[in-house]
Amino acid sequence: MAFCRRVICALNAVYRNVTNARRISSSALYCCQNCSKNNNPEMWEKLTLSIVEQLRRDGYSVLLKAPFACSDLFSLLHEAGLSDEEIEQAMVSNPDLLNSNFSHFSNFLFLLRQCDLSTKEALDVMNKFTRHDSINLEQAKKMLHRLTVCGIASKSLRKMLLQYPSLLSLSEVQVHNLFESLTNFFTVRQIIFMAVEHPDILHHSFDDLESKYEFLYHAIHLENTNIYQSRWFAHSLAHLQCRFECAIRCGVYTVVDKKRPLKKSNLKLKDIVDTDDDRFATSVCKITPMEYSIFQKMFQRQTSFENIFGEN
């Protein structure tokens, strides 16, 4: 039954992706056609001069490949909904765009628009890369398609890319393998939640995640419903161990014996591991930051000693 639900979910995601692809392809065709119709060299030359002048005032030296090198670029952005002022602002914030490869730029823009990003948002994402033409668009397209097949909707892709544009550097294989591996521990819905709310989990290797999960699940006896809602993956194993050891010694956390249900409620995982040191010390453990700092050093020494002793 669970397998059937996953298949149905995947088919629905594929259908949404195909529909979106057709919609974006139509938009791209319309935009490209209008770019050629409304390409006003004089208007774009005036805008180019304004941008260059602004950059020179800011101390930048700009060398364009040709007098009208930016005409197609400006026309594309204008047809995509940006005003002259917004185009100028985008170019001034990232002068490298003025010498962009138009084909790569337009394909990159439409790929991001397919993920429900506005033109302005797409430019913001592109500007996160020192060289946006370094992104392998075919690889990025396959990776994004894999995410939709895994059940992530376009509006969620938008949220993920705005948070972590670096996701575009991942490969389809990386995403597929991580999703498949995580199904050993979590439900599909839980994995989707983690990917959407905390996209940086996709940058982690499964080996790294596995060691942390095994500590939380087997040593601390936490259930998945508690684990997946936190940023457990973003912390080192040593951090997780230190935080729980301190919470246990301070009497604010009790490791649950699955055979004997705990009568009182325990702290949530995110309260223990996702807070900064000062807040963890004062609000969670009810100790001073200085006391927690001393505990950290003692715990680190103890762990180092145990590692050395274990090797011998």
Coordinates of all heavy atoms in Angstrom, one line a residue, residues 2 12 14 31 78 86-87 90 94 106 131 141 144 146 153 155 161 187 197 203-204 212 214 217 245 268 271 292 302:
A2 N 1.9 1.2 0.8 CA 2.8 2.4 0.9 C 3.5 2.6 -0.4 O 3.7 3.7 -0.9 CB 3.9 2.2 2.0
N12 N 1.7 11.9 -10.1 CA 1.1 13.2 -10.0 C 2.2 14.3 -10.1 O 2.0 15.4 -10.7 CB 0.4 13.4 -8.6 CG -0.9 12.6 -8.6 OD1 -1.4 12.3 -9.6 ND2 -1.3 12.3 -7.3
V14 N 5.1 14.1 -11.7 CA 5.5 14.1 -13.1 C 4.5 14.9 -14.0 O 4.9 15.7 -14.8 CB 5.7 12.7 -13.7 CG1 5.9 12.7 -15.2 CG2 6.8 12.0 -13.0
C31 N 8.0 35.1 -25.2 CA 9.0 36.2 -24.8 C 10.0 36.4 -25.9 O 10.4 37.5 -26.2 CB 9.6 35.8 -23.5 SG 10.6 37.1 -22.8
H78 N 12.8 43.0 -20.0 CA 11.6 43.9 -20.1 C 10.3 43.2 -20.4 O 9.3 43.4 -19.8 CB 11.9 45.0 -21.2 CG 10.9 46.1 -21.3 ND1 9.8 46.0 -22.1 CD2 10.8 47.2 -20.6 CE1 9.0 47.1 -21.9 NE2 9.7 47.9 -21.0
E86 N 14.3 48.7 -12.8 CA 14.7 47.4 -12.2 C 15.8 46.7 -12.9 O 16.7 46.1 -12.3 CB 13.4 46.5 -12.1 CG 12.4 46.9 -11.1 CD 11.1 46.1 -11.2 OE1 10.7 45.7 -12.3 OE2 10.5 45.9 -10.1
I87 N 15.8 46.9 -14.3 CA 16.8 46.3 -15.1 C 18.2 47.0 -14.7 O 19.2 46.4 -14.6 CB 16.5 46.5 -16.6 CG1 15.3 45.7 -17.0 CG2 17.7 46.1 -17.4 CD1 14.9 45.9 -18.4
A90 N 19.4 45.9 -11.4 CA 20.0 44.5 -11.5 C 21.4 44.5 -12.1 O 22.3 43.8 -11.6 CB 19.1 43.6 -12.3
N94 N 25.2 43.7 -10.3 CA 26.0 42.7 -10.8 C 26.5 43.0 -12.2 O 25.9 42.6 -13.2 CB 25.3 41.3 -10.7 CG 26.2 40.2 -11.2 OD1 27.4 40.4 -11.4 ND2 25.7 39.0 -11.3
S106 N 19.3 33.4 -20.9 CA 17.8 33.2 -21.1 C 17.4 31.8 -20.7 O 16.3 31.7 -20.1 CB 17.5 33.5 -22.6 OG 18.2 32.6 -23.4
R131 N 29.9 33.4 -11.2 CA 29.7 33.3 -12.6 C 28.5 32.4 -12.8 O 28.6 31.2 -12.7 CB 30.9 32.7 -13.3 CG 32.1 33.7 -13.3 CD 33.3 33.0 -14.0 NE 33.0 32.4 -15.3 CZ 33.0 33.1 -16.4 NH1 33.4 34.4 -16.4 NH2 32.7 32.6 -17.6
K141 N 18.6 21.1 -14.6 CA 17.3 20.8 -15.0 C 16.9 19.4 -14.6 O 15.8 19.1 -14.1 CB 17.2 21.0 -16.5 CG 15.8 20.7 -17.1 CD 15.8 20.9 -18.6 CE 14.4 20.7 -19.2 NZ 14.4 20.9 -20.6
L144 N 16.3 19.3 -10.7 CA 15.0 19.9 -10.4 C 13.9 18.9 -10.7 O 12.9 18.8 -10.0 CB 14.8 21.2 -11.0 CG 15.8 22.4 -10.6 CD1 15.6 23.6 -11.4 CD2 15.5 22.7 -9.1
R146 N 14.1 15.7 -10.8 CA 14.2 14.6 -9.8 C 13.5 15.0 -8.6 O 12.8 14.2 -8.0 CB 15.6 14.3 -9.6 CG 15.9 13.3 -8.4 CD 15.1 12.0 -8.7 NE 15.4 11.4 -10.0 CZ 14.7 10.3 -10.5 NH1 13.7 9.8 -9.7 NH2 15.0 9.9 -11.7
A153 N 6.6 20.1 -5.0 CA 5.9 21.0 -5.9 C 6.7 22.2 -6.3 O 7.7 22.6 -5.7 CB 4.6 21.4 -5.2
K155 N 6.0 25.4 -6.2 CA 6.1 26.5 -5.2 C 7.1 26.2 -4.1 O 7.7 27.1 -3.5 CB 4.7 26.7 -4.6 CG 4.1 25.6 -3.9 CD 2.7 26.0 -3.3 CE 2.1 24.8 -2.5 NZ 0.7 25.2 -2.0
L161 N 15.0 27.2 -3.6 CA 16.1 27.9 -4.3 C 16.3 29.3 -3.8 O 17.5 29.8 -3.8 CB 15.6 28.0 -5.8 CG 15.7 26.7 -6.5 CD1 15.1 26.9 -7.9 CD2 17.1 26.1 -6.6
T187 N 9.7 8.6 6.5 CA 8.6 8.4 5.5 C 8.9 9.4 4.4 O 9.7 10.4 4.6 CB 7.2 8.7 6.1 OG1 7.2 10.1 6.5 CG2 7.0 7.8 7.3
E197 N 11.9 22.5 4.0 CA 12.1 23.5 5.1 C 13.6 23.7 5.4 O 14.0 24.8 5.8 CB 11.5 22.9 6.4 CG 10.0 22.9 6.4 CD 9.3 24.2 6.1 OE1 9.8 25.2 6.7 OE2 8.3 24.3 5.4
H203 N 22.8 18.8 0.7 CA 24.3 18.9 0.5 C 25.1 17.9 1.4 O 26.3 17.7 1.2 CB 24.8 20.3 0.9 CG 24.5 21.3 -0.2 ND1 25.0 21.3 -1.4 CD2 23.6 22.4 -0.1 CE1 24.6 22.4 -2.1 NE2 23.7 23.0 -1.3
H204 N 24.4 17.2 2.3 CA 25.1 16.3 3.2 C 25.1 14.9 2.6 O 24.2 14.4 1.9 CB 24.3 16.2 4.5 CG 24.5 17.5 5.3 ND1 25.3 17.6 6.4 CD2 23.9 18.7 5.2 CE1 25.3 18.8 6.9 NE2 24.4 19.5 6.2
K212 N 24.6 10.4 12.7 CA 23.9 11.3 13.6 C 22.5 10.7 13.9 O 22.0 10.8 15.0 CB 23.7 12.7 12.9 CG 25.0 13.4 12.7 CD 24.8 14.6 11.8 CE 26.2 15.2 11.4 NZ 26.0 16.4 10.5
E214 N 21.6 7.5 13.9 CA 21.8 6.4 14.7 C 22.0 6.8 16.2 O 21.5 6.1 17.1 CB 22.9 5.5 14.2 CG 22.6 4.8 12.9 CD 23.7 3.8 12.5 OE1 24.8 4.0 13.0 OE2 23.4 3.0 11.6
Y217 N 18.5 8.0 17.4 CA 17.5 7.0 17.4 C 17.8 5.9 18.4 O 17.0 5.4 19.2 CB 17.3 6.4 16.0 CG 16.1 5.5 15.9 CD1 14.8 6.0 15.8 CD2 16.3 4.1 16.0 CE1 13.7 5.1 15.8 CE2 15.2 3.2 15.9 CZ 13.9 3.7 15.8 OH 12.8 2.9 15.7
E245 N 24.3 15.3 26.6 CA 25.0 14.9 27.9 C 24.8 16.0 28.9 O 24.5 15.7 30.1 CB 26.5 14.7 27.6 CG 27.2 14.2 28.8 CD 26.9 12.8 29.2 OE1 26.3 12.0 28.3 OE2 27.1 12.4 30.4
K268 N 11.9 19.1 23.3 CA 12.0 18.7 21.8 C 13.4 18.8 21.4 O 14.2 19.6 21.9 CB 11.1 19.7 21.0 CG 9.6 19.6 21.3 CD 8.8 20.5 20.4 CE 7.3 20.3 20.6 NZ 6.5 21.3 19.7
D271 N 14.9 22.2 20.5 CA 15.2 23.0 21.7 C 16.6 22.7 22.3 O 17.2 23.6 22.8 CB 14.2 22.9 22.8 CG 12.8 23.4 22.4 OD1 12.7 24.3 21.6 OD2 11.8 22.8 22.8
Y292 N 28.3 26.3 31.1 CA 28.2 25.5 29.9 C 29.5 25.4 29.1 O 29.9 24.4 28.6 CB 27.1 25.9 29.0 CG 27.0 25.1 27.8 CD1 26.7 23.7 27.9 CD2 27.1 25.6 26.5 CE1 26.6 22.9 26.7 CE2 27.0 24.8 25.4 CZ 26.8 23.5 25.5 OH 26.7 22.7 24.4
Q302 N 37.1 14.6 27.8 CA 36.6 13.2 28.1 C 36.4 12.4 26.8 O 36.9 11.2 26.8 CB 35.3 13.3 28.9 CG 34.7 11.9 29.2 CD 33.3 12.0 29.8 OE1 33.0 13.0 30.4 NE2 32.5 10.9 29.7

